[in-house]
Amino acid sequence: KELEEAGYLSLAAGQKTYNGVAIIVRKSALASIAMDHETTFLKQLRNIPGNVDEQQRILAATVCFKGMQPIRLVSAYFPNGQSPDSDKFQYKLGWLAALNDWLKEELTQNTRLALLGDFNIAPTDDDVHDPSKWIGQNLVSPPEREAFQKLLNLGLTDSFRMFDQAPKSFSWWDYRMMGFRRNAGMRIDHILLSEALKEKCSASIIDKEPRTWEQPSDHAPVIAEIKA
């Protein structure tokens, strides 16, 4: 209700305490036909089809924005994995494989698709503050990076890397050990764009300002600008 009063419509899938994903859109950005929940969030989907999972990690919907063709938005919260020798890591790899299979089909039906959220994967050493300290660890392991590359191989593009960026650009910093102050972070939040959206992307940045606020998230917003 508070979001709607502020001018937004929202769609969410979550579970108590732990996981959750959402898509929030500004009403003024919507096409005239899309001004309520039913006409704004088309072809809604929660979780990966065929992948039995109680955890709420995928929310997809097609949104009709003003002055442009519809965009298929896939909001995702990738599993953390904990450590490569844990059951949670095996769950993560299985989840990534199921995501890849599903997106392969989604892309045949939706040429304008964006996959975005907390991926819990730093794709390359350039996305890690000190790669030598993370060798063999969760978030940077070869299997995780291979899974990320497989998503790119589907025809998706890392929007942030489409543009020149400052070195040591990160989206997450540990609360401990003054991680943000020392810029001891990682880039684990991403917006991947299909070929049709890649052509319309004019900018992609990480907005670090909210990380400076009182009681912030340990993640900073990642932004991609899509025009028409």
Side-chain angles (χ1 to χ4, degrees), residues 78-81 83-86 88-100 119-125 134-153:
F78 286 42
N80 178 276
S83 65
D85 59 354
S86 69
K88 291 182 178 179
F89 190 80
Q90 295 307 312
Y91 161 73
K92 182 177 188 176
L93 295 183
W95 189 91
L96 286 165
L99 175 69
N100 190 283
F119 282 47
N120 272 312
I121 300 173
T124 72
D125 284 353
W134 284 84
I135 294 174
Q137 294 192 47
N138 188 44
L139 307 183
V140 304
S141 71
E144 294 167 281
R145 288 180 167 179
E146 289 170 9
F148 187 93
Q149 183 59 48
K150 286 181 179 179
L151 292 173
L152 301 183
N153 293 344

Side-chain angles (χ1 to χ4, degrees), residues 171-176 178-181 207-221:
S171 65
W172 171 86
W173 301 261
D174 198 319
Y175 289 125
R176 300 167 295 180
M178 296 186 294
F180 181 66
R181 186 177 298 181
D207 182 5
K208 294 171 62 175
E209 182 182 353
R211 189 60 173 79
T212 68
W213 296 347
E214 186 177 354
Q215 295 184 323
S217 166
D218 50 354
H219 295 259

